[in-house]
Amino acid sequence: PAARARAAVARVVRTITIGSAVIGLDAATGRVRTTVRTAPHPSEVAFAFGSGWVTCAGAVIRFSPRTGAVQATIRDAAAGFDGIAADDGAIWVADSNGGVVDRISPTASKITGSVRVGSGPRHIIAISGDLWVDNFADGTLMRLHPGR
């Protein structure tokens, strides 16, 4: 199953968020390959741990890249989930409402920790074991060392 999921991800060239859905396009044909029904306002998408992950208003949706089936929904009604990144052990999501970056365990599909980062975190990127977080509201960039 993991090899098939990696192959499916390799064929997806672009994801597009529309309304309450994420559309996956086939790299070779440009045709719609997968449609994932999400919570309102899907924002960013990441692929890791054999799954796709999409941030939405109040939820992070884990889905099968091959079929589009929702595998888990991680809810926090007060959260303004936006940016998303993956490192070797976790999924990390920016919560612009709470001023935190939440850690999601890929084995439990639930939030297992939070780090306060500033005002309005929006985007996250994982580079060489570190996370870089763009705090939109206060105009700062923060570097986190989750493995240390």
Side-chain angles (χ1 to χ4, degrees):
R4 273 188 258 147
R6 280 192 299 277
V9 169
R11 287 191 301 270
V12 175
V13 68
R14 176 108 168 100
T15 56
I16 303 169
T17 58
I18 301 172
S20 291
V22 172
I23 309 298
L25 302 178
D26 188 284
T29 66
R31 295 178 191 229
V32 173
R33 177 158 185 80
T34 306
T35 300
V36 181
R37 300 291 172 209
T38 68
H41 311 292
S43 183
E44 294 191 18
V45 181
F47 293 92
F49 309 103
S51 297
W53 304 77
V54 60
T55 55
C56 304
V60 176
I61 308 295
R62 182 178 190 170
F63 64 92
S64 164
R66 195 172 117 261
T67 67
V70 173
Q71 299 168 324
T73 302
I74 301 103
R75 294 188 193 282
D76 182 344
F81 294 126
D82 196 350
I84 188 165
D87 68 7
D88 290 337
I91 297 293
W92 298 90
V93 293
D95 173 0
S96 59
N97 292 346
V100 298
V101 170
D102 291 323
R103 181 190 189 278
I104 296 176
S105 163
T107 55
S109 289
K110 68 178 189 176
I111 296 171
T112 57
S114 296
V115 178
R116 183 148 305 282
V117 293
S119 183
R122 296 278 311 271
H123 305 288
I124 305 173
I125 188 166
I127 301 173
S128 300
D130 290 334
L131 297 172
W132 293 87
V133 182
D134 156 25
N135 292 305
F136 181 76
D138 63 17
T140 62
L141 180 66
M142 180 173 275
R143 183 179 185 182
L144 303 176
H145 311 287
R148 298 179 207 160

